[in-house]
Amino acid sequence: MRRLPSYHEAIPVLRSKHVAVQAGFGGEQELDKVFESYAFSMKHGIFHDLSLASSTYFQVNTLFITPWYAVLFEVKNIAGELTVTENPPQLIRVLDSGEVSGFKSPIAQLESNCELFQDWLYSRNISLPVYGAVVLAYARQRIEVFDTNIPVLFPSAVPTFIRKLPTTSPLLDDDTFTDLVSQLSSSHREFIPSPICETYSIRRSDIRTGVICSECKTLGMTWHKRKWECMNCGFRCSEAHIQAIRDWFLLFGGKMTNKDCREFLHLERQQNANRLLRDMDLHTEGANRNRTYTMWLPANHKKRT
Ligand SMILES: [Zn+2]
């Protein structure tokens, strides 16, 4: 949004997406707090924002895994009166103002994720019951759900829900479980978002280029004596290009060349662009003039146990 003129046709859609993403993020933090403050007595692993590949890529908000079972949590934080319908699978939200909007059904999303995760386990010769639960981040949310086996919980009810799951004799021995946890860590792939311009049909030429001043938000800082300088407020710093380069990857995706970098940052000299890119710890391909840079790599893991 900060790289589009305020009258751009994509702004309203981007703004509502932004609100939804922020809400989702806040919701996941609520569940994180529960896991952080509660000590589970059984052997377990907790993974957040896990991206795995089965027959297709899929993303899991939170995975709780033990030698007896796995639980996938799908966290939702959408304000208003919520109704989840089975057919068609959707979530309808009615705000106090009467405004009605539709979202993907968290139940359908979770069912599909549970199946994909089950497949992921099968392909590793592991058979483990996979449960799913939708978590409503805040107690003030009201929801009406069709008749389904998938529970809808508030974060505070999650520990009790977990404790009630059957744990008679462990299905996985210690070695297999340890191995599974490390496989989950190494299979995790950084989620590669599709380029914003592609997703929202924004013309590349509509994007305002340049380095944004973190102090006054003005676009077009200039590189001068190894620092970025804002012509509007005089702020100087050496790292303002980092956000701009990330913006480029998020907007357009793919590989960045030295020329792309110079055009986007408004740099004259090839050596300056080279040095800034080199310092950013990006993945490089090719040498010298043909060198390209990419931001997305399979991440090592994002495990928190
Ligand atoms: Zn400034």
Side-chain angles (χ1 to χ4, degrees):
M1 285 189 281
R2 60 177 179 250
R3 290 193 176 274
L4 284 176
S6 57
Y7 53 81
H8 195 276
E9 70 236 18
I11 292 280
V13 179
L14 292 170
R15 192 166 284 138
S16 64
K17 176 72 182 172
H18 182 235
V19 170
V21 168
Q22 275 191 321
F25 185 65
E28 285 172 36
Q29 285 174 326
E30 284 304 301
L31 183 60
D32 287 1
K33 274 189 230 156
V34 170
F35 281 120
E36 275 161 25
S37 61
Y38 195 89
F40 294 95
S41 56
M42 80 280 263
K43 201 184 248 279
H44 68 278
I46 299 169
F47 295 83
H48 299 280
D49 298 324
L50 200 55
S51 304
L52 296 169
S54 186
S55 51
T56 169
Y57 283 104
F58 63 109
Q59 266 201 300
V60 176
N61 276 175
T62 301
L63 167 69
F64 184 87
I65 193 155
T66 73
W68 296 270
Y69 56 78
V71 193
L72 271 55
F73 293 101
E74 181 69 34
V75 186
K76 285 287 165 250
N77 173 25
I78 300 172
E81 192 96 42
L82 310 177
T83 309
V84 187
T85 59
E86 187 173 18
N87 199 2
Q90 60 183 351
L91 185 152
I92 313 280
R93 182 267 298 275
V94 183
L95 286 176
D96 289 343
S97 64
E99 190 193 323
V100 180
S101 23
F103 300 84
K104 277 187 204 159
S105 160
I107 307 263
Q109 213 172 329
L110 194 57
E111 279 171 341
S112 145
N113 274 358
C114 286
E115 277 169 28
L116 289 164
F117 186 60
Q118 193 94 67
D119 292 347
W120 189 92
L121 292 170
Y122 281 148
S123 67
R124 284 156 183 81
N125 289 319
I126 291 170
S127 176
L128 210 58
V130 176
Y131 303 101
V134 172
V135 178
L136 294 184
Y138 298 108
R140 63 167 194 275
Q141 285 173 279
R142 294 182 302 270
I143 193 162
E144 201 176 295
V145 184
F146 64 91
D147 196 19
T148 164
N149 293 331
I150 292 191
V152 179
L153 310 167
F154 289 119
S156 58
V158 167
T160 315
F161 167 75
I162 286 176
R163 268 207 314 268
K164 281 186 182 159
L165 293 169
T167 52
T168 38
S169 58
L171 297 169
L172 306 178
D173 58 45
D174 280 5
D175 287 351
T176 315
F177 183 69
T178 309
D179 186 49
L180 173 60
V181 167
S182 78
Q183 279 199 54
L184 278 166
S185 304
S186 57
S187 305
H188 172 74
R189 284 158 191 280
E190 188 164 353
F191 178 60
I192 303 176
S194 33
I196 293 170
C197 282
E198 205 172 277
T199 308
Y200 298 97
S201 309
I202 298 167
R203 281 178 300 273
R204 225 180 153 101
S205 56
D206 289 353
I207 298 294
R208 299 154 73 207
T209 58
V211 173
I212 299 171
C213 171
S214 61
E215 291 296 301
C216 72
K217 314 297 173 204
T218 300
L219 231 149
M221 293 181 93
T222 51
W223 182 249
H224 180 63
K225 290 184 180 165
R226 301 197 166 210
K227 279 202 179 322
W228 292 101
E229 190 171 334
C230 176
M231 288 306 174
N232 184 49
C233 73
F235 179 66
R236 279 166 65 80
C237 82
S238 55
E239 290 176 342
H241 60 282
I242 295 176
Q243 186 60 55
I245 289 174
R246 287 200 183 125
D247 283 356
W248 189 94
F249 284 109
L250 289 166
L251 288 163
F252 310 128
K255 298 171 181 179
M256 182 188 253
T257 62
N258 184 289
K259 184 166 172 276
D260 293 327
C261 178
R262 277 181 286 140
E263 281 174 4
F264 201 71
L265 303 188
H266 302 173
L267 283 170
E268 301 271 314
R269 301 182 56 196
Q270 212 167 329
Q271 295 97 310
N272 287 340
N274 256 342
R275 210 181 57 236
L276 295 178
L277 284 165
R278 220 176 34 226
D279 289 348
M280 263 191 75
D281 200 23
L282 297 164
H283 176 63
T284 60
E285 269 175 81
N288 306 323
R289 283 179 174 279
N290 298 321
R291 177 164 298 161
T292 59
Y293 302 81
T294 27
M295 187 163 80
W296 315 110
L297 275 178
N300 298 333
H301 57 90
K302 281 185 186 168
K303 188 182 63 157
R304 278 181 266 162
T305 50

